[in-house]
Amino acid sequence: MYKTKQNGEFDKADLMLYEEVTKMPPFKRKTLVLIGVSGVGRRTLKNRLINSDPDKFASVLPHTSRPPRPLEESGKAYWFTEREDMEQEIKENRFLEFGEHNGNLYGTHLDSIRDIIRSGKMCVLDCAPSALKILHNSAEFMPYVIFVASPGMEQLKQLYAERRSAHGSQRSLQFDRQSSIRFSSRRAKTLESLASLYEDDDLISAVEESALLQRKYDKYLDMVIVNEDFDVTFRAVTDALEALSHEHQWVPVNWIY
């Protein structure tokens, strides 16, 4: 498994090496990889693609060492496994990516991706950018990589607002403005300004991080799209995937030989 902290020298070498490519007749890629910062709509795009054509697109179920809750079944939302088994498979480089949350391991198993490919569907992934090193350097995954870039501040605010509304969640720095006014109108205005300031700082950070990621992983990207309008973004992605069936493509030589 590629681990960022342990591969600093590999990263440096990777940036300096020239990658040989070759032009191939039209063919369909095996995986679709959506990359971008949190909040730009990658997961929404992935779900819409799958729902629009479930015979063509599919996504993997994550593995977890978390014990199943009542009524949960393995293979529905997660593949449940023992922690010791998952740790061993991580050591054997059998996971695309993995992490730990609340003391439980979660990860994307490479065999789950292979199963979808063998079924004849395109596997849609919204993984961390570091996973591109594994996917790009293997002929069995042949990814088409789309970077979903952060839009401008106003569009990003709208995306964040829609996401909070859809999930019924709010920032922790929220308050009942009317009750605050009854207590102290000055305090209410201060809290309101502070909440707006923190949100703007988050949005600025997202825009800056998006630009940084795009520069860092540019060599892996097949397409960059700014998600200013979700319907337009969806059509652009489906059109690009359709074009793979009738346009020649430049791909790494190691995919072919």
Side-chain angles (χ1 to χ4, degrees):
M1 186 70 188
Y2 176 82
K3 296 182 178 62
T4 304
K5 293 182 180 179
Q6 299 177 8
N7 288 272
E9 294 304 316
F10 176 80
D11 284 341
K12 293 177 184 177
D14 191 45
L15 291 174
M16 293 185 288
L17 291 176
Y18 168 77
E19 181 178 52
E20 188 176 0
V21 296
T22 186
K23 194 172 186 179
M24 290 294 297
F27 72 97
K28 293 182 179 180
R29 304 290 182 94
K30 297 179 180 180
T31 58
L32 171 63
V33 184
L34 304 174
I35 300 296
V37 298
S38 176
V40 294
R42 288 180 299 137
R43 184 163 299 178
T44 303
L45 179 58
K46 179 185 74 172
N47 291 337
R48 182 166 175 180
L49 283 168
I50 295 170
N51 291 334
S52 70
D53 196 344
D55 292 329
K56 182 177 180 180
F57 302 106
S59 182
V60 298
L61 294 180
H63 281 59
T64 180
S65 64
R66 174 177 68 77
R69 301 186 181 106
L71 303 181
E72 281 189 321
E73 297 180 27
S74 189
K76 297 294 185 179
Y78 295 98
W79 292 109
F80 295 102
T81 184
E82 296 296 326
R83 185 182 181 94
E84 294 78 9
D85 295 337
M86 195 165 175
E87 287 177 340
Q88 181 59 37
E89 291 196 311
I90 288 171
K91 291 178 182 178
E92 295 171 355
N93 302 325
R94 299 184 65 184
F95 278 83
L96 175 66
E97 57 182 357
F98 62 90
E100 187 166 7
H101 179 67
N102 289 337
N104 299 304
L105 293 172
Y106 294 82
T108 301
H109 204 294
L110 291 171
D111 283 346
S112 296
I113 301 174
R114 295 183 180 107
D115 287 343
I116 291 175
I117 293 172
R118 281 194 289 265
S119 75
K121 298 180 182 181
M122 179 178 246
C123 183
V124 186
L125 300 163
D126 59 336
C127 54
S130 57
L132 290 175
K133 293 181 182 293
I134 297 174
L135 297 170
H136 181 81
N137 293 321
S138 173
E140 66 174 329
F141 299 123
M142 293 186 177
Y144 188 80
V145 183
I146 298 178
F147 184 82
V148 184
S150 175
M153 286 284 290
E154 292 306 314
Q155 290 89 349
L156 198 57
K157 281 184 179 181
Q158 183 177 349
L159 281 174
Y160 275 33
E162 290 173 354
R163 185 176 65 171
R164 288 200 298 269
S165 176
H167 294 282
S169 61
Q170 295 181 333
R171 292 182 55 85
S172 59
L173 188 60
Q174 295 290 325
F175 58 93
D176 184 336
R177 192 171 188 275
Q178 293 302 318
S179 63
S180 297
I181 290 174
R182 288 196 296 270
F183 179 77
S184 168
S185 60
R186 178 177 296 178
R187 177 176 179 271
K189 290 179 180 178
T190 300
L191 286 173
E192 188 175 55
S193 298
L194 191 58
S196 177
L197 177 62
Y198 278 135
E199 183 172 82
D200 285 349
D201 283 347
D202 286 347
L203 296 176
I204 292 171
S205 296
V207 172
E208 292 175 345
E209 183 183 355
S210 178
L212 179 63
L213 282 178
Q214 184 177 344
R215 289 194 299 270
K216 183 175 182 180
Y217 293 96
D218 181 69
K219 64 170 287 185
Y220 299 109
L221 308 180
D222 293 290
M223 178 182 184
V224 176
I225 188 164
V226 180
N227 188 21
E228 295 181 333
D229 182 292
F230 192 76
D231 289 334
V232 173
T233 297
F234 177 76
R235 288 194 297 271
V237 170
T238 54
D239 288 347
L241 295 177
E242 180 62 28
L244 296 176
S245 300
H246 54 79
E247 293 181 1
H248 283 68
Q249 306 169 45
W250 289 98
V251 300
V253 167
N254 68 331
W255 286 12
I256 311 302
Y257 304 107

